[in-house]
């Protein structure tokens, strides 16, 4: 005789015997076909395990985000320092250009070129104008690289740009 979880058997006889039979029925592992029913204890342990796993995942993601934020902050700090260095170098360049211009005597250079080196000013037919705007200022990569090394180099550049 099988009983559902909701059904309490009623038979003629002692109430103690009915309760014992009902407890035995509840304690037996219930199976429907090949599916095993899970007890309440197993459900509690599985739910605890899933909660612990979810907490561990959230903690790991938090650590990962914190690390990524620190890396980004370090890169921004480095960029700011490099910008400051760039402005310092540009100001030094401008001061040296000004010093060179102020210390250069073009008349003396022209006299030296004419007298010591025998140079002359060019005539009109000796001057050739070159259009520098038509040249491409591209750097061509070595075409003899294998496709594997190109893939590795592109992956490396992507990873370097991330970190």
């Amino acid at each position: 005789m099988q009983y559902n979880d909701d059904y309490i058997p009623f038979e003629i006889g002692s109430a103690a015997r009915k309760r014992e039979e009902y407890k035995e029925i509840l304690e037996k592992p219930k199976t429907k076909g090949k599916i095993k029913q899970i007890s309440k204890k197993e459900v509690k342990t599985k739910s605890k395990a899933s909660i612990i796993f979810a907490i561990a995942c959230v903690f790991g993601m938090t650590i990962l985000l914190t690390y990524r934020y620190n890396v980004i902050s370090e890169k921004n700090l480095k960029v700011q320092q490099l910008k400051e260095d760039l402005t310092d170098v540009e100001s030094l360049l401008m001061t040296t250009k000004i010093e060179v211009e102020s210390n250069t005597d073009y008349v003396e250079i022209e006299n030296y070129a004419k007298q010591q080196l025998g140079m002359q000013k060019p005539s009109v037919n000796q001057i050739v104008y070159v259009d520098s705007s038509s040249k491409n200022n591209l750097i061509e990569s070595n075409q003899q690289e294998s496709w594997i090394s190109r893939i590795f180099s592109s992956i490396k550049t992507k990873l370097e740009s991330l970190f």
Side-chain angles (χ1 to χ4, degrees):
M1 183 172 193
Q2 288 186 342
Y3 300 103
N4 291 336
D5 291 338
D6 303 335
Y7 178 73
I8 299 174
F10 181 74
E11 293 181 355
I12 300 174
S14 95
R17 192 180 92 218
K18 285 187 240 178
R19 288 183 188 152
E20 289 175 9
E21 288 176 0
Y22 186 66
K23 284 182 184 178
E24 288 175 9
I25 292 170
L26 287 178
E27 290 175 358
K28 288 182 184 177
K30 299 177 184 177
T31 58
K32 246 185 189 177
K34 295 183 179 179
I35 301 172
K36 180 183 174 188
Q37 291 185 354
I38 301 171
S39 68
K40 290 181 182 180
K41 186 176 182 180
E42 290 175 354
V43 170
K44 286 182 181 179
T45 57
K46 286 185 179 182
S47 65
K48 285 181 182 178
S50 64
I51 289 171
I52 291 172
F53 179 72
I55 289 171
C57 287
V58 168
F59 180 72
M61 292 301 291
T62 304
I63 295 295
L64 183 66
L65 288 174
T66 305
Y67 170 74
R68 183 72 178 137
Y69 178 75
N70 286 337
V71 168
I72 290 170
S73 296
E74 288 176 5
K75 297 291 182 181
N76 285 338
L77 181 64
K78 188 174 181 179
V79 166
Q80 289 174 354
Q81 290 172 347
L82 289 174
K83 283 182 180 179
E84 290 175 2
D85 292 344
L86 178 64
T87 56
D88 292 343
V89 169
E90 285 177 343
S91 65
L92 180 64
L93 177 66
M94 291 304 291
T95 57
T96 53
K97 280 184 178 180
I98 291 171
E99 285 180 18
V100 166
E101 288 292 324
S102 65
N103 292 336
T104 305
D105 184 19
Y106 292 113
V107 175
E108 184 180 321
I109 294 172
E110 185 178 352
N111 289 336
Y112 180 79
K114 285 182 180 177
Q115 294 171 359
Q116 299 292 328
L117 301 176
M119 298 177 91
Q120 300 177 20
K121 288 192 175 185
S123 64
V124 177
N125 61 355
Q126 291 178 328
I127 299 174
V128 176
Y129 294 99
V130 177
D131 184 19
S132 63
S133 64
S134 65
K135 292 183 180 178
N136 290 335
N137 294 329
L138 300 175
I139 300 173
E140 295 182 15
S141 64
N142 188 2
Q143 296 297 326
Q144 296 176 356
E145 287 184 19
S146 67
W147 61 276
I148 294 174
S149 62
R150 281 185 268 158
I151 290 173
F152 283 136
S153 64
S154 66
I155 290 172
K156 183 179 176 183
T157 55
K158 292 289 183 183
L159 289 176
E160 287 175 355
S161 67
L162 290 177
F163 299 107

